[in-house]
Amino acid sequence: MNRKKVVGFGEIMLRLSPLGYMRLIQAEGFTANYTGAEANSCVSLSMMGFNSEFVTKVPDNEIGQCAAATMQKYGVGIGNIVLGGERLGLYYSEKGAAQRPSKVIYDRKYSAISQAKRDEFDWDRILDGADAFLFTGITAALGEELPGICMDACQTARKKNITVFCDLNYRNKLWTTEQAFKVMDGLMPYVNVLMGNEEDSEKVLGIKSDMSDVTHGRLCRESYSEVAEKIVSRYGTDTVAFTLRTSISASDNKWAAMLYKNGSTSFSREYDMHIVDRMGGGDSFGAGLIYGLLSGMSDREALEFAAAASCLKHSIEQDFNLSTADEIKALMNGDSSGRIQR
């Protein structure tokens, strides 16, 4: 298979987590790993066999070197990482269980990427030879010049006929819905494939699904076709994909996805998941969709591949989906027994 090249742009952070299911107040030690939305997707794509490149800015110190080395460990290109800034952002993650939800506390103010400047990224050179470019709403929210940097990348990708993938990824701890709309409304016309979950379209774009209640775990699948159609009509997006999560508890979810293109909607198989770690679940879906669409799968096959990829991620500790394309295809094709492989 031709090794497609995907460039992702975003922040990489240090994640600190208490051991197991301990609460933060109980923690006397933390496990550490490096993570970030686009970084997670780039690792997933590399594990699947693609050529992925991660672009960011990290401090020129040992912590920044560790972050870059982690990406390199999984085969992700790091040649366009900018060095500088004061610190690497971090977050604390408390894993939920049963009826107790997971919690995230950010400590990312004044991070290196938030202080990035537009002239630090030569997108014409960075995107040379790329088949796809990926960014998320998280990245656009991080700093004063980040919306402009994302715009520069998207405009360059459009000139080079590179497919632009975007995950809306709304985070209310980073910006308000008004701020999100102001920025993302300007970027959306450059997006070919838009991804999100059941809340993002309302929070970021003001397009609401009235027939769903995610707080109480109720989803109406049919309503998302209308939401996707409105997005396509407003922005000219080629494809819209949503993940559909029904929360039974913090430990058990139902998981599916939908894809809308050319007026037609497809829904994936629904998985009953017992969750090991849900961080990076949406990022693994995005990577799976990119892989499927760029590999020549049909839209329905790409959707099923992405849903299966994300299902497997929920069984893996920390944020990276370390599943291979063959492992994902096995689940996609019905092998969900979890029997030991000898």
Side-chain angles (χ1 to χ4, degrees):
M1 182 187 71
N2 179 25
R3 279 171 54 88
K4 300 291 185 179
K5 180 180 178 180
V6 180
V7 175
F9 172 62
E11 181 171 32
I12 188 166
M13 296 184 294
L14 175 63
R15 170 183 168 181
L16 298 176
S17 308
L19 297 176
Y21 290 92
M22 284 187 177
R23 305 211 67 181
L24 287 166
I25 197 170
Q26 296 175 284
E28 296 181 352
F30 295 89
T31 58
N33 65 284
Y34 295 91
T35 176
E38 298 87 353
N40 296 341
S41 293
C42 284
V43 169
S44 295
L45 286 162
S46 180
M47 289 293 299
M48 295 171 194
F50 271 17
N51 176 12
S52 65
E53 175 93 10
F54 181 59
V55 181
T56 189
K57 183 175 182 178
V58 299
D60 190 9
N61 58 30
E62 287 82 356
I63 301 300
Q65 292 167 12
C66 286
T70 297
M71 300 301 291
Q72 194 172 36
K73 170 184 175 181
Y74 292 106
V76 177
I78 60 171
N80 289 300
I81 290 181
V82 175
L83 299 179
E86 297 181 17
R87 62 188 295 261
L88 196 76
L90 65 88
Y91 80 91
Y92 300 88
S93 172
E94 180 183 281
K95 284 206 297 186
Q99 280 67 47
R100 176 172 59 84
S102 297
K103 289 188 177 180
V104 168
I105 299 174
Y106 288 126
D107 181 13
R108 64 203 301 180
K109 196 171 184 179
Y110 305 121
S111 66
I113 189 67
S114 73
Q115 299 175 323
K117 304 299 182 183
R118 293 178 81 163
D119 61 6
E120 292 180 311
F121 301 92
D122 181 356
W123 289 110
D124 188 64
R125 178 182 56 79
I126 293 170
L127 292 175
D128 188 42
D131 297 285
F133 171 71
L134 169 68
F135 77 105
T136 74
I138 293 173
T139 301
L142 291 177
E144 183 178 350
E145 295 201 29
L146 267 298
I149 298 172
C150 290
M151 179 65 78
D152 292 342
C154 288
Q155 289 179 338
T156 302
R158 175 62 58 89
K159 292 177 184 176
K160 290 177 172 288
N161 199 30
I162 295 168
T163 304
V164 175
F165 290 80
C166 174
D167 190 331
L168 287 173
N169 252 345
Y170 178 71
R171 297 291 185 269
N172 62 12
K173 294 182 179 181
L174 295 180
W175 56 1
T176 66
T177 55
E178 292 79 13
Q179 291 171 322
F181 176 78
K182 183 177 179 181
V183 171
M184 298 306 294
D185 185 62
L187 291 168
M188 279 296 300
Y190 297 94
V191 174
N192 301 104
V193 180
L194 180 69
M195 301 171 289
N197 64 28
E198 58 270 19
E199 296 180 270
D200 290 335
S201 61
E202 176 187 355
K203 299 295 186 182
V204 179
L205 304 177
I207 298 176
K208 184 179 180 181
S209 172
D210 294 323
M211 300 172 68
S212 294
D213 184 351
V214 297
T215 303
H216 294 89
R218 179 170 62 88
L219 297 176
C220 178
R221 291 184 169 194
E222 291 73 15
S223 64
Y224 290 100
S225 297
E226 181 181 359
V227 172
E229 185 177 8
K230 289 179 180 179
I231 292 172
V232 170
S233 177
R234 181 188 294 180
Y235 297 110
T237 312
D238 297 330
T239 303
V240 176
F242 289 128
T243 55
L244 307 178
R245 183 190 297 273
T246 302
S247 293
I248 309 303
S249 69
S251 302
D252 296 280
N253 288 180
K254 292 182 180 294
W255 182 259
M258 64 142 287
L259 185 144
Y260 177 92
K261 185 176 182 180
N262 295 329
S264 177
T265 302
S266 297
F267 289 92
S268 76
R269 165 188 174 185
E270 185 176 64
Y271 294 92
D272 293 319
M273 301 188 306
H274 184 72
I275 297 172
V276 171
D277 194 331
R278 67 170 286 173
M279 296 299 181
D283 308 323
S284 60
F285 173 81
L289 191 65
I290 293 170
Y291 178 90
L293 293 177
L294 294 188
S295 296
M297 294 182 187
S298 69
D299 293 339
R300 178 58 185 267
E301 288 172 333
L303 177 66
E304 292 288 0
F305 183 88
S310 190
C311 178
L312 283 178
K313 162 62 202 75
H314 285 77
S315 72
I316 299 173
E317 291 278 9
Q318 302 182 349
D319 302 63
F320 294 159
N321 183 12
L322 303 179
S323 304
T324 66
D326 286 343
E327 290 171 331
I328 296 167
K329 289 174 182 176
L331 177 59
M332 169 186 166
N333 293 327
D335 183 2
S336 58
S337 66
R339 290 174 62 88
I340 190 169
Q341 296 180 356
R342 300 182 188 269

